Amino acid sequence: MIVVFDTNSYRDLVAGIDAADVEPLMQKLLTLESAKGITALMSTIVAEEILGHLLDDESTRTYRACLKATKALYMHCGDEHQYRLVPSPQTQLAKEFFGVESKKFLDTQQAVALTAFEISKDLSKDNINRHEDTLKKIKAHLQESEKELADGMLEMGRKIDPSYTDWNLFVGNQSMRTKYMNFIKSERFKIEISAALLAAVGINLEEEGLITTPTREKFHEMIQDYIQRYEAPINMQALFYELLLQPGYDVTSNSHANFLWDTQILHIVGHSISGDDIILVTSDKAMIRQANKAIAGRVYTLNEYKKFVGL
C-alpha cells in the first residue's frame, strides 16, 4: 500500500511536540508502516505548501508548525540517499495522456524535494536563509497561481452575470442560479473542466517542443478518458463552482483558494503504482466527501490512519 499525506496531516501529526521530538516520532511511524508493507510518497504540492511558510515570521504558529512538518515530510518519504515522489498532476497527465515526460515539470518536483531534504537536516534559521531564493520562488508560485484562480473567477462572474458585483453571483435571480447549478451538475461542465486542464498541460508541453497540437478527435478522446479516470478532482471542482453562489464567497480570503491545491492532490485518488493502491490521508471534509463519491475507502483521516498503523 502507498500512502500520501496532505499538508495539514503533517502539521497535525507533529502538533504539540517539540522539533527535537519529530525524528523519534517519524522513526516509530516508519517502523509501524514497514510492518504493514506501507510506503509513503511525497506530494510536491504538499511540500510546496509547507515550505512556502518558512519565509513567515519565525514567531508565528504557522512558521513553527511548518518547520516541524518539513522534517516530518522528508523523513516520511526519503532519507539521505533518496526520496520517493508521487508524480505531480502535470507530470502524471503529461505521461498518461501525451506520452511524454516534461523536463520542466520533473525539474520542479526535484527542486522542491531537494529543498525539503536540505532543510529537514538542519532546521536552524541560518540554514533556512541559505535556501531563501528557492523558498521565494515556491511562495511566489503559490501566490501567483492562487491570484490567477481568483482573477479567473472574477472574470467568469462578470461574463455570465450582467449585474455581478465582486463575489456576489446572481443575487436575487433564482432562475439564473438554477440554470448555473444545472450546468455544474451536467456532462458539459465535466467536459469543459477536463478540456481546460488538459489544454493547459498541452500548452506547456508544446512550449517545450515535446508535442504538437492533438487533433480535435484525439483531444475529445483524451477528455472522455480524463472524465472516467479522474472523478475525484472533477467533483472537487464542481463543489468549488457551487460555493461561488454563496453571497460574498471571496476566493482571495479564508484560504478559499486552497481548493486549487486540494483539487490537484485529489488526482491520486483511485489510482495505484505498480499494483499498490494509493491512500490519501487528509482530515479535510470536502476532500473526503468528493473522493468517496468517486471511490470509497481510498481516504483516511489522520486519526483513522494512526489507529490503522498502531501509532
Side-chain angles (χ1 to χ4, degrees):
M1 188 172 94
I2 292 169
V3 65
V4 176
F5 278 34
D6 76 350
T7 305
N8 283 333
S9 292
Y10 279 117
R11 290 180 55 169
D12 293 344
L13 181 65
V14 296
I17 67 172
D18 294 332
D21 296 324
V22 173
E23 184 168 345
L25 171 66
M26 297 312 298
Q27 288 174 338
K28 181 178 180 181
L29 175 59
L30 288 166
T31 299
L32 292 168
E33 287 176 334
S34 178
K36 286 186 172 288
I38 299 171
T39 301
L41 268 59
M42 182 191 306
S43 162
T44 304
I45 298 158
V46 170
E48 285 189 284
E49 286 195 288
I50 291 171
L51 291 170
H53 284 292
L54 297 187
L55 294 177
D56 294 355
D57 185 329
E58 59 186 304
S59 67
T60 63
R61 180 183 301 174
T62 300
Y63 173 87
R64 295 193 300 271
C66 288
L67 187 64
K68 293 185 294 181
T70 299
K71 189 170 188 68
L73 164 76
Y74 194 84
M75 282 194 66
H76 199 203
C77 305
D79 54 34
E80 64 272 21
H81 304 296
Q82 63 180 351
Y83 50 83
R84 301 175 299 275
L85 287 173
V86 64
S88 69
Q90 293 80 11
T91 302
Q92 189 172 331
L93 297 179
K95 186 69 172 178
E96 186 174 350
F97 289 91
F98 297 93
V100 297
E101 290 187 346
S102 164
K103 186 176 185 301
K104 176 183 175 182
F105 296 153
L106 289 170
D107 285 350
T108 297
Q109 289 188 175
Q110 291 167 0
V112 171
L114 285 171
T115 302
F117 169 57
E118 293 295 337
I119 292 176
S120 71
K121 292 190 298 181
D122 177 3
L123 301 182
S124 70
K125 188 63 177 176
D126 285 344
N127 186 43
I128 291 170
N129 289 340
R130 282 193 282 272
H131 299 278
E132 184 176 2
D133 288 346
T134 302
L135 293 174
K136 282 182 176 179
K137 289 177 184 177
I138 290 171
K139 189 162 189 173
H141 168 249
L142 296 172
Q143 292 175 335
E144 288 165 8
S145 298
E146 291 176 2
K147 184 178 185 304
E148 285 178 8
L149 173 66
D151 290 346
M153 295 302 97
L154 284 170
E155 183 180 351
M156 181 199 75
R158 292 165 185 154
K159 183 177 180 180
I160 65 177
D161 182 4
S163 62
Y164 181 75
T165 57
D166 289 357
W167 312 121
N168 289 285
L169 190 62
F170 303 129
V171 175
N173 191 333
Q174 187 57 48
S175 174
M176 286 301 299
R177 291 173 69 86
T178 300
K179 183 178 179 180
Y180 175 83
M181 280 298 298
N182 288 339
F183 166 66
I184 293 171
K185 295 175 182 178
S186 71
E187 188 69 15
R188 182 183 156 207
F189 175 82
K190 295 179 181 179
I191 291 171
E192 291 190 6
I193 287 295
S194 304
L197 179 56
L198 290 170
V201 173
I203 288 169
N204 275 283
L205 298 177
E206 283 193 73
E207 289 175 351
E208 287 188 72
L210 296 172
I211 66 166
T212 56
T213 304
T215 64
R216 180 176 297 182
E217 292 77 12
K218 178 62 177 175
F219 194 58
H220 178 72
E221 290 177 9
M222 291 163 64
I223 290 169
Q224 294 303 317
D225 284 347
Y226 180 86
I227 290 171
Q228 291 297 316
R229 300 178 194 180
Y230 292 97
E231 184 181 346
I234 292 174
N235 290 344
M236 199 69 176
Q237 287 272 59
L239 175 61
F240 176 67
Y241 277 79
E242 182 178 338
L243 288 171
L244 291 173
L245 278 178
Q246 294 182 358
Y249 189 83
D250 185 345
V251 176
T252 66
S253 67
N254 298 320
S255 301
H256 290 156
N258 279 349
F259 265 95
L260 174 63
W261 313 118
D262 295 344
T263 298
Q264 291 199 27
I265 291 169
L266 283 175
H267 276 81
I268 66 172
V269 171
H271 294 266
S272 60
I273 297 176
S274 300
D276 288 327
D277 290 340
I278 302 174
I279 300 298
L280 173 64
V281 176
T282 178
S283 296
D284 185 288
K285 293 179 181 179
M287 292 177 73
I288 293 170
R289 285 197 304 272
Q290 305 318 311
N292 283 333
K293 284 180 185 178
I295 181 168
R298 297 293 186 89
V299 180
Y300 290 7
T301 66
L302 179 60
N303 285 337
E304 288 170 342
Y305 185 73
K306 287 167 69 175
K307 183 177 179 180
F308 174 68
V309 298
L311 184 64

